Structure formats: structure tokens, C-alpha cells
Amino acid sequence: MSSRFKDSVLFHISPAGNKSSTMFTRIFGKPKQETNALATLDKLNETLEMLEKKEKVLLKKAAAEVERAKEFTRAKNKRAAIQCLKRKRLYEQQIEQLGNFQLRIHDQMIMLEGAKATTETVDALRTGAAAMKAMQKATNIDDVDKTMDEINEQTENMKQIQEALSTPMGAAADFDEDELEAELEELEGAELEEQLLQPATTAPAAPVRVPAGGRQPARKVEDDDDELAELQREMAL
């Protein structure tokens, strides 16, 4: 790498990451105290692309010096071939430096992205804490206890009102519950007795065989109906 390119890029990275970085001072200029993180990341990306392009150019130049060294070797020009290999070595040194620069940039980008995420997280937590503090001021524990006491008192009052409304009043209050239960049992017994005296369900009548040559006499059917009615009256008695 040429001395001009070396002077244009300066690095200062502390081992623990506690000191402020003056990375790419001459490229970026003096950093502001409040630098937009996204703008800084964009600038780092641009610089990274520039270094990658520079590295590709140097790789091509190094490969070209190798090809020229081969040509001089075939022409038996050993001195010229060695000069080509020396220039190739210089290009390789610059390529290695550019690789280190790119690694430093990647490291700086990771640090900035981590710092940005940390700042956003802290801001979110700070906002949540402020909201919780405001809510606590609006509803302190004394107000909650007072409100709960009022609710319990109103609930108890409502229960007493409902009990008072459900208590018998006037003539209904003089009724004897035992007498009413005895009367109910008497009614249930009478209902059961009436069900037992009810006639059994009439079984379906057996089919009457009708002679092949004619119909069953109507008088026979009337007699059966009279007998059935008489039997039902006797069971009712």
C-alpha cells in the first residue's frame, strides 16, 4: 500500500473497547458527539466496499506480475523476472493490509450495531418504567384498599336488602311451615292413591276372525263395548 493511502486511514481500537474510536479520522472528519448510528453504519459500508474494490485491483496486478515474470523467465531475463516478483510481493503486502482494514471495519460495525441495540433496549425499558411510575401515581395502594372496602360494603348491603325482601310479611308470615308440609304430604298420598285406582291401559284387542263368506255381526261389537264400560265403572268404585 502506498504511503498516501496509509496516511488517509487511521485506526485506534482499544482492547477492552472502553476508549472512543477515532477510526477513519481523515475519511470521516472529526466525529460529532451525537452521530446517527444508521448514517455511521452506511458510511462504514461505503468504506468497506471501497477497500474491497481496491483489493480486487491489487489482486489483478499481482497476477499480472506473475504472468510477466513467467514471460521474462522464458526469455532468459532473470533480472526482469525477479523485479516482477518483487512488485508482486509489494502488492501482496498491500492486499494483506486491506484485509486487516476490512476486518477492523467489520469489528466496528458489529460494535455499533450492538451499541444501537443496547441503546434502543434501554430507551424502551426507560419508557416502560416511566409509564409504570405514572400508573402507580394514578392508582396508589391506599386508593385500591379504599375502593375494595367500598365494594365489600356495598355487596354486604345488597345481601341484606335481598334477605329483607325475601322474608315473608303480613298474613304469609303467620303460616306454620310444619302444617304446610303435612298438607303437602297428604296431597302427595292422595295423588298416589288416585294413580293406583286408575284402570290399567287396555290391551290391544285380539283380531276377530271374520267368516270367509261375510262380515262380523254389529251386535257382537256393541255387546263387547258395553261389557268393557261396565268393568271400568266397577274398578272405579
Side-chain angles (χ1 to χ4, degrees), residues 96-115:
E96 184 178 358
Q97 289 178 349
L98 291 177
N100 292 331
F101 293 162
Q102 295 176 49
L103 183 61
R104 297 283 182 87
I105 291 179
H106 281 296
D107 182 64
Q108 188 71 14
M109 292 174 66
I110 292 173
M111 291 175 61
L112 286 173
E113 290 173 352

Side-chain angles (χ1 to χ4, degrees), residues 115-127:
K116 181 176 179 295
T118 302
T119 302
E120 292 176 351
T121 302
V122 172
D123 289 340
L125 293 174
R126 186 183 296 111
T127 303

Side-chain angles (χ1 to χ4, degrees), residues 59-88 91:
L59 287 172
K60 291 181 179 179
K61 289 183 177 181
E65 293 297 336
V66 173
E67 294 298 326
R68 294 179 63 186
K70 292 179 180 179
E71 294 177 359
F72 286 123
T73 300
R74 286 191 293 268
K76 304 299 182 178
N77 190 345
K78 183 178 180 180
R79 182 180 179 82
I82 291 176
Q83 291 297 325
C84 292
L85 294 178
K86 287 181 179 181
R87 286 191 294 271
K88 179 184 75 71
Y91 290 141

